[in-house]
Amino acid sequence: MAIAQQVIAQQQQQHQRQQQEQFHQIQSSTASASWAPPPDHQSAFASAFSDPFSFPPPQSFKLSDEFDSDEWMDSLIGSGDLSPLFADPPLSTDLDRLIMPRGDVLTVDQLPQPVKRDKEPEPEPEPDPDPEPNSKVTVSCSSSQSLPSSSSSHPVLKSLLDCARLAGSNPDLAIKTLDQTRPLVSKLGYPIQRVGFYFTEALSVRLTSTTSPPPPSSSSSSEEFTLCYKTLNDACPYSKFAHLTANQAILEATESATHIHIIDFGVMQGIQWAAFLQALATRPGGKPTRVRISGIPSPSLGSSPIRSLSATGNRLREFAELLELNFEFIPILTPVDQLTVSAFRVDVDECIAVNFMLDLYHLLDDSMERVQYVLRVAKSLNPEVVTLGEYEANLNRVGFVNRFANALSYYCSVFESIEPAMARDSLERVEVERVLFGNRILRAVGLAEGIERTDRMEESGEWMAQMEKSGFKSVQFSNYAISQAKVLLWNYDYSAKYSLVDSTSGFLSLAWDGKKLLTVSSWR
């Protein structure tokens, strides 16, 4: 396996560097005739260097930034079992038929991110069917805020919000307003026009369907999902940021553990854990005696996830063998709402870490009972650390109009972030937006009342309330964890508008132009 060969080469290079450093230390040592290793840099300088960039951290906490997750993903293309970060279970709706003909195979180079809002937006000029690319979006993104006034909204957004308000009280007028909006939107236009295109189609579905989902149809293939996600992963730091930050928290919490057990809620293809295993294999304190991952399948894997889980387990086992790690992968097929502690094989000497990576939002509903049930199960495992990654939008316990406004704001930011990296006439960008975001927009706002919504999100404030209610306490990310995330943004050719937002409550968010879209947190 090419990745393992890369790892072995890295280990050899690291060993050579250590030998060279020792040689130079011996040469420069004049204090005594016999050389002794230098004192622990971390303990000697911890209080003097509060800036994570001013002194290198201990290597035991270092995740290899040379691991090539793209190469790992390349091996999945054609295997038919990759579900992307933004994928969800197929919806029995022909969004292709509603929105656009199939494009060529893609190569996404862009991921969604937010647009910067001015606190006091300037009045919008006369409606322009072909708006300038840098025009600002002023839709509110928080349910705690009132909906934007018509005068402060872009004409496309204003029209869509008017349709959303009319959808319940006057659907016929809403349909007429929607028909007037169609000439202003395009899947090949500016970001606002593109996001407007998908929201227009979602509203059309909602207004023309009753209490049943739209007719079933073929959905995007696994190959399309794989290619879209790979392009997205190449172009933006979303999944890399989430995996890197969560892995670093787990590494630090299990630094001295010899038996490590990760309970992964929402496992898919193991992309997150390949880099983690590599870090464990190069721990200066020595490799752990055993590493075990219990994987609860993501809903994205469908109703029969065993094939994908088996493939994930095999890939990770083969990788661990080449790293000379004692590794075990255990698929957990018990439905998540029936899980108990007895479903997991936990040994008394294990250091347990629980990982919720963009998974708990699948359990959101009006009552939050399913989320609380799973969190209580996690708490009963007595984990050393719990990592949580979630999207930053309130699409859950709010009425339709507010939910529509929040979703419109969120995806405006997402589509804005795609603009710098992918050409407006790029077929790859069209496919990414169609495959990864079109169906999600439909699930969030396009289903008639009475149909169970499957695309819900909550903001970090609500996740904090749920975690604390379950007995967890927030753990601040270390300076090094934050510095690693910053280096990630610097090392890749991402837009300068990407930034990190570190809150006093322990949340670390990836932001675009100051707007948070994805947040990771650590708990104990």
Side-chain angles (χ1 to χ4, degrees):
M1 183 183 292
I3 299 176
Q5 292 172 350
Q6 180 188 33
V7 172
I8 294 170
Q10 291 170 6
Q11 290 174 328
Q12 292 172 343
Q13 293 170 3
Q14 181 184 16
H15 180 65
Q16 290 172 357
R17 286 195 298 268
Q18 290 173 344
Q19 288 181 327
Q20 291 172 356
E21 289 171 1
Q22 290 179 2
F23 177 76
H24 291 310
Q25 286 170 337
I26 293 172
Q27 282 190 321
S28 61
S29 176
T30 58
S32 64
S34 61
W35 175 82
D40 183 350
H41 286 173
Q42 185 185 29
S43 59
F45 293 92
S47 60
F49 294 95
S50 58
D51 184 350
F53 291 100
S54 48
F55 194 80
Q59 208 156 10
S60 60
F61 287 161
K62 185 175 183 182
L63 274 170
S64 171
D65 36 321
E66 297 180 28
F67 175 77
D68 189 358
S69 61
D70 296 333
E71 188 173 349
W72 179 273
M73 291 178 60
D74 283 338
S75 69
L76 299 175
I77 295 178
S79 65
D81 62 322
L82 177 66
S83 297
L85 188 69
F86 282 87
D88 274 301
L91 182 69
S92 57
T93 299
D94 188 358
L95 198 62
D96 298 341
R97 172 182 58 80
L98 292 168
I99 292 181
M100 59 176 284
R102 286 286 170 91
D104 294 345
V105 179
L106 32 109
T107 333
V108 195
D109 264 350
Q110 205 28 289
L111 171 69
Q113 307 287 358
V115 212
K116 187 168 185 173
R117 273 76 167 176
D118 296 327
K119 291 184 179 178
E120 296 181 359
E122 303 249 340
E124 192 73 13
E126 284 298 310
D128 180 0
D130 195 24
E132 289 301 315
N134 294 325
S135 39
K136 296 290 183 180
V137 182
T138 57
V139 179
S140 167
C141 189
S142 172
S143 58
S144 63
Q145 300 173 357
S146 60
L147 289 173
S149 63
S150 298
S151 61
S152 64
S153 296
H154 187 280
V156 170
L157 305 183
K158 174 187 177 300
S159 180
L160 288 170
L161 286 168
D162 288 344
C163 290
R165 294 187 185 98
L166 291 168
S169 60
N170 195 338
D172 290 338
L173 181 56
I175 291 174
K176 291 180 181 178
T177 305
L178 201 60
D179 289 339
Q180 295 170 358
T181 306
R182 291 185 189 278
L184 306 179
V185 300
S186 168
K187 62 179 178 290
L188 295 174
Y190 296 108
I192 292 177
Q193 291 177 304
R194 300 201 307 268
V195 77
F197 177 82
Y198 289 95
F199 273 84
T200 296
E201 299 304 325
L203 267 179
S204 178
V205 172
R206 182 182 179 89
L207 291 167
T208 56
S209 60
T210 54
T211 58
S212 300
S217 166
S218 59
S219 58
S220 300
S221 67
S222 297
E223 186 82 0
E224 285 178 306
F225 273 122
T226 303
L227 291 169
C228 280
Y229 177 56
K230 183 184 183 304
T231 305
L232 181 67
N233 194 58
D234 289 344
C236 81
Y238 265 36
S239 61
K240 291 175 183 175
F241 158 76
H243 294 165
L244 178 75
T245 307
N247 284 359
Q248 186 62 36
I250 297 172
L251 276 177
E252 293 174 4
T254 61
E255 179 199 7
S256 58
T258 57
H259 294 76
I260 299 173
H261 189 171
I262 296 170
I263 312 292
D264 188 14
F265 283 82
V267 68
M268 291 193 289
Q269 288 75 31
I271 296 170
Q272 177 176 355
W273 304 121
F276 181 79
L277 293 176
Q278 178 184 343
L280 290 180
T282 55
R283 243 180 17 176
K287 300 176 182 179
T289 305
R290 186 187 66 230
V291 181
R292 175 182 291 165
I293 295 179
S294 294
I296 298 93
S298 167
S300 302
L301 297 182
S303 58
S304 301
I306 186 60
R307 177 178 173 273
S308 290
L309 285 185
S310 298
T312 295
N314 290 337
R315 279 192 298 270
L316 290 173
R317 272 189 293 269
E318 291 172 2
F319 190 56
E321 285 177 9
L322 291 164
L323 296 171
E324 298 180 350
L325 283 175
N326 181 11
F327 174 78
E328 184 179 12
F329 181 85
I330 302 175
I332 306 295
L333 298 178
T334 305
V336 69
D337 56 354
Q338 298 176 25
L339 281 174
T340 62
V341 176
S342 61
F344 304 96
R345 198 173 83 201
V346 177
D347 297 336
V348 293
D349 60 348
E350 287 183 328
C351 183
I352 296 176
V354 176
N355 183 64
F356 294 106
M357 186 49 58
L358 299 175
D359 181 70
L360 278 182
Y361 78 96
H362 288 117
L363 302 178
L364 288 172
D365 55 22
D366 292 337
S367 69
M368 304 295 281
E369 290 180 359
R370 294 194 299 168
V371 169
Q372 276 298 307
Y373 177 82
V374 171
L375 290 178
R376 286 195 297 270
V377 171
K379 180 68 176 177
S380 64
L381 292 167
N382 194 27
E384 187 67 25
V385 64
V386 176
T387 49
L388 173 67
E390 289 294 337
Y391 304 109
E392 276 284 345
N394 185 359
L395 307 184
N396 188 28
R397 294 181 291 181
V398 289
F400 171 70
V401 177
N402 280 304
R403 185 172 77 247
F404 186 92
N406 293 346
L408 187 59
S409 173
Y410 182 82
Y411 285 105
C412 276
S413 297
V414 165
F415 280 56
E416 284 280 353
S417 71
I418 296 177
E419 181 77 359
M422 302 191 78
R424 194 163 297 150
D425 58 353
S426 165
L427 290 177
E428 289 83 1
R429 180 197 52 72
V430 171
E431 281 292 278
V432 169
E433 292 174 350
R434 178 184 70 85
V435 172
L436 299 187
F437 304 118
N439 269 319
R440 295 206 64 176
I441 291 170
L442 179 64
R443 289 186 181 94
V445 300
L447 303 182
E449 296 302 323
I451 301 176
E452 181 63 25
R453 287 187 290 115
T454 59
D455 202 273
R456 297 170 180 248
M457 301 179 193
E458 284 283 6
E459 295 171 312
S460 53
E462 180 60 34
W463 287 117
M464 172 175 280
Q466 294 300 319
M467 295 296 288
E468 291 179 343
K469 183 178 180 179
S470 301
F472 292 107
K473 293 183 179 179
S474 176
V475 178
Q476 291 283 341
F477 286 109
S478 68
N479 285 340
Y480 183 56
I482 297 173
S483 71
Q484 267 201 148
K486 290 179 179 177
V487 169
L488 171 71
L489 301 186
W490 293 343
N491 282 351
Y492 290 84
D493 189 20
Y494 298 132
S495 169
K497 290 189 176 182
Y498 282 105
S499 64
L500 299 178
V501 179
D502 182 20
S503 70
T504 56
S505 55
F507 289 86
L508 185 63
S509 303
L510 179 66
W512 170 269
D513 209 2
K515 165 71 175 175
K516 296 187 291 186
L517 287 192
L518 174 64
T519 298
V520 181
S521 54
S522 177
W523 304 82
R524 181 175 293 129

